[in-house]
Amino acid sequence: MRRLGPGEGVVGILLALAAISPFVLPSQAWIGFAVNAVLISVLSIAWNVTGGFCGQMSFGHAALYGTGAYAAAMLQLRLGLNPYLAGIVGIAAGAAMGGFIGALAFRYGLRGSYFALVTLAFAEVLRILASSFEITGAGSGLTLPFRPGLANLQFPDRYAAYVFVLILCILALAVSAAVKGSRLGSNMVAVRENEEAAGAIGIDAFRVKVVAMIISGAIAGAAGVAYLQIQLFIDAPIAYGSLISVEALLGPIIGGAGTLLGPVVGTVVLHIVGEVVKTGVGGAPGLNLVFYGIVLLLILRFLPNGLMGLAGNLRWPARTASAARSAEAR
Amino acid sequence: MLGLVVPAVLSGLTTGAIYALVALGLTLIYGVLHIINFAHGSLLMAALYTALFMNLRLGLDPYVALPVVVAIFFCAGYLLQRYVIDTFSHGRDANILLATLALSIIIDNGALYLFTSNTRTIDVPYAFEMVEIGPAFIPLPKLVAFLAALVFAALLWLLMRHTRLGAAIRAVAIEKRGAELMGIDVKHTYAMCFGIGTACVAAAACLLLPTFYVTPQVGYAFVLVAFTTVVLGGMGSLGGALVAGLFLGVVEALCGLFLGETLGQIGIFAAFILTLLFRPAGLFAPRVA
């Protein structure tokens, strides 16, 4: 049904090159950076399902990410569950939290600014709860004992961790592509573009939006579980802090919300900007985020369709009409 | 029992007045521009730092600095809306939301970079003076903040009801295109609105400073409460924001009294989520500006 434009091809090749670069240029700083960027990419892909495909902008995806991480950590520490099982439950917990927030918010017809606010509030409530109760480790957080090995889903070094997040990212992209290509994905786009019109042609907008939140919650939960298994530590500001919610949406907006590769492109570009700032001006806290904000403003001003919008403008020569149409279809 | 509850309620009312003042700015911007200004808390933080440095460097008392800070932030708000938010978002709602988010990221982290995350306070001679009200002792600066917040709310109401600018703002809020056809400069009115909203925050900062602290993250706590206030009061309703702000101050004080300090804010967020879910139009009759 769709032909890939040259823009997507170029982006895909660049991403693939970026993905193998840590193996070509081994350095501790670079691999640490790559693990983080790919992990946040997974979270961005999750955000893109609701915010991009379905048009419901969440400002509180930390609620889903943190729930996945906390569920996996508590099951391992309190019940001694196997990390794989705990991880799967963590993903399910993220999905359940997504479904719960979505069902409540959409039941009462919240959209736009209201939806952004209610998601933000949920993340904040969870942050306060997680930092208040003993079972979630209260202020000191939860630490998993270090037992490296595949059986414990823990990694002896950062390269192993990198392979793990890379696989997770590819899986998340596959899920995202499957959703996008499916009838459900088309329904999401219909709801995004005009909810009333979508309803008029028989799409159950409420169901579509809740399903989007569930899928998004599962992917975000997986990102949370991955963070836990790599860092072996989680606390309330890390899991439910506003920084995570912001990072979740920056990637897709900068890369191009609603496109398949946009979230990854945006996240990687953003992290590269952050890294360049760090090496250029020193690692003072805050400065890289200042530049994140500036990049976001510039994208809004000059590339409202994100970087993928720019890539989408590339055309095969002499096939402009059909390419334009297929670009529209995407 | 009553001996504990009454002081908590009174102290909650004084905190609530500040919440109301912050929320008045937010609700004014929402009522007219129909967007939520995510940079509101960051502007509060920036105003707190401005007042702080005026005190540390120039020796100005926050109450004396108030008119200056308000004027600075009115201009800053006007310029931000007219030349940054509007220009960078192409006037699209979702993008305006993101533009204000971008501003808040820049301001918050800029402050973190410039001022580090150290908590700062100022010393004023009257910080610990108490005023006896019935069974309770209220710190003098809190009482001043309470009264001043009410004065500002009244001034804002007068501005909206009895000036040409107020009429223009109300016209734009109700029907942007119609207002434009009547010769109202919509962009100017939007920017004035944003300027006034930011000025409210600056006033709140000056009233807050004698009894509060400043960190780069301080705005975040306030902005969430301000969102709650605005939603509870009915988005865009000035009177609603005032009542809701005072109410939330009391809720927070009582939750803090009965549940402990850390969970005090839970009451606010519970109110927030419940209102958003069940009464998204607000508890009080929602009216635009």
Side-chain angles (χ1 to χ4, degrees):
Chain A
M1 111 198 181
R2 59 191 133 120
R3 245 167 303 173
L4 284 180
E8 262 109 355
V10 171
V11 169
I13 291 168
L14 284 178
L15 282 181
L17 284 177
I20 57 165
S21 66
F23 299 108
V24 183
L25 303 159
S27 99
Q28 279 304 311
W30 185 239
I31 188 72
F33 160 79
V35 168
N36 192 22
V38 177
L39 186 66
I40 297 298
S41 295
V42 177
L43 184 62
S44 288
I45 294 167
W47 189 92
N48 192 41
V49 174
T50 41
F53 300 163
C54 207
Q56 310 298 315
M57 272 208 274
S58 147
F59 276 36
H61 249 55
L64 316 176
Y65 173 89
T67 300
Y70 263 110
M74 287 195 297
L75 287 171
Q76 287 179 61
L77 287 173
R78 310 281 182 237
L79 300 179
L81 214 63
N82 164 315
Y84 288 93
L85 270 177
I88 289 168
V89 178
I91 292 172
M97 183 56 76
F100 175 69
I101 297 176
L104 276 180
F106 298 133
R107 177 108 235 131
Y108 293 96
L110 302 186
R111 35 173 122 160
S113 300
Y114 285 95
F115 182 67
L117 276 184
V118 82
T119 48
L120 181 81
F122 268 107
E124 199 57 17
V125 167
L126 290 169
R127 185 183 66 77
I128 295 175
L129 289 177
S131 57
S132 303
F133 290 104
E134 207 44 55
I135 189 163
T136 50
S140 50
L142 296 173
T143 308
L144 294 185
F146 183 48
R147 282 174 311 202
L150 207 55
N152 297 317
L153 196 59
Q154 292 187 10
F155 311 101
D157 61 31
R158 286 175 165 184
Y159 284 91
Y162 180 66
V163 172
F164 174 68
V165 287
L166 206 55
I167 292 172
L168 189 66
C169 186
I170 291 166
L171 282 176
L173 272 179
V175 170
S176 177
V179 170
K180 193 171 157 61
S182 70
R183 188 179 182 84
L184 175 67
S186 309
N187 288 351
M188 286 181 190
V189 173
V191 169
R192 175 185 75 198
E193 295 301 327
N194 189 333
E195 200 170 321
E196 284 73 27
I201 56 170
I203 295 172
D204 183 350
F206 172 73
R207 206 185 66 94
V208 167
K209 289 192 285 186
V210 172
V211 171
M213 279 296 280
I214 292 174
I215 297 170
S216 185
I219 303 174
V225 172
Y227 179 88
L228 172 75
Q229 293 304 129
I230 292 166
Q231 302 293 336
L232 304 179
F233 174 74
I234 196 89
D235 72 4
I238 291 175
Y240 289 123
S242 59
L243 183 63
I244 283 294
S245 298
V246 166
E247 287 229 56
L249 71 85
L250 282 179
I253 298 289
I254 285 166
T259 62
L260 184 61
L261 294 177
V264 185
V265 173
T267 306
V268 170
V269 166
L270 207 53
H271 280 240
I272 289 173
V273 169
E275 207 64 12
V276 168
V277 170
K278 252 186 217 163
T279 42
V281 212
L287 204 57
N288 56 339
L289 281 160
V290 172
F291 279 83
Y292 284 15
I294 293 172
V295 171
L296 176 56
L297 271 184
L298 292 176
I299 290 280
L300 290 175
R301 175 77 181 87
F302 298 107
L303 292 173
N305 294 322
L307 293 168
M308 290 306 284
L310 188 68
N313 289 341
L314 293 177
R315 300 256 179 276
W316 300 116
R319 235 185 39 192
T320 44
S322 74
R325 226 176 297 120
S326 75
E328 290 286 293
R330 275 194 303 277
Chain B
M1 196 65 214
L2 208 63
L4 276 177
V5 171
V6 173
V9 168
L10 286 177
S11 159
L13 280 176
T14 61
T15 319
I18 296 287
Y19 290 162
L21 192 51
V22 176
L24 280 175
L26 195 64
T27 205
L28 180 68
I29 294 171
Y30 182 86
V32 179
L33 280 79
H34 304 291
I35 51 123
I36 287 167
N37 175 19
F38 274 91
H40 208 64
S42 312
L43 290 167
L44 177 73
M45 179 270 295
L48 277 166
Y49 270 108
T50 309
L52 178 91
F53 282 115
M54 282 190 170
N55 181 270
L56 295 182
R57 297 283 155 78
L58 308 174
L60 278 182
D61 186 272
Y63 296 143
V64 178
L66 191 142
V68 184
V69 179
V70 165
I72 294 174
F73 276 80
F74 170 78
C75 297
Y78 186 96
L79 295 174
L80 273 181
Q81 163 60 24
R82 182 125 200 194
Y83 298 106
V84 180
I85 297 173
D86 191 56
T87 316
F88 278 77
S89 63
H90 304 279
R92 281 195 287 185
D93 278 3
N95 286 359
I96 298 176
L97 204 64
L98 291 168
T100 62
L101 181 72
L103 278 182
S104 91
I105 298 173
I106 294 171
I107 299 172
D108 282 357
N109 292 288
L112 184 62
Y113 176 67
L114 291 174
F115 309 132
T116 72
S117 57
N118 293 344
T119 302
R120 300 192 199 205
T121 52
I122 60 164
D123 287 317
V124 284
Y126 47 80
F128 297 103
E129 272 180 44
M130 293 288 185
V131 182
E132 191 178 349
I133 301 172
F137 287 92
I138 299 292
L140 179 67
K142 288 201 159 194
L143 192 65
V144 171
F146 176 74
L147 296 174
L150 294 184
V151 170
F152 275 106
L155 284 177
L156 200 56
W157 185 81
L158 284 176
L159 175 86
M160 295 299 286
R161 287 286 140 191
H162 296 287
T163 63
R164 284 188 70 85
L165 175 65
I169 290 175
R170 280 181 289 140
V172 171
I174 295 165
E175 176 52 60
K176 178 179 150 194
R177 211 167 150 65
E180 202 166 13
L181 290 172
M182 293 297 116
I184 295 172
D185 182 346
V186 170
K187 285 197 176 194
H188 171 73
T189 311
Y190 273 2
M192 285 301 278
C193 235
F194 210 91
I196 296 168
T198 313
C200 287
V201 152
C206 292
L207 296 172
L208 201 55
L209 192 60
T211 53
F212 213 66
Y213 58 90
V214 191
T215 71
Q217 292 89 22
V218 70
Y220 193 67
F222 274 91
V223 79
L224 284 168
V225 178
F227 287 153
T228 315
T229 311
V230 167
V231 168
L232 202 62
M235 291 226 193
S237 156
L238 293 180
L242 183 62
V243 177
L246 296 173
F247 172 70
L248 284 177
V250 174
V251 166
E252 186 186 35
L254 290 179
C255 282
L257 182 65
F258 293 115
L259 302 175
E261 274 301 314
T262 45
L263 284 176
Q265 290 227 310
I266 283 285
I268 288 187
F269 294 117
F272 185 35
I273 290 175
L274 291 175
T275 319
L276 272 177
L277 294 179
F278 298 106
R279 289 294 301 269
L283 292 182
F284 312 104
R287 290 193 59 238
V288 170

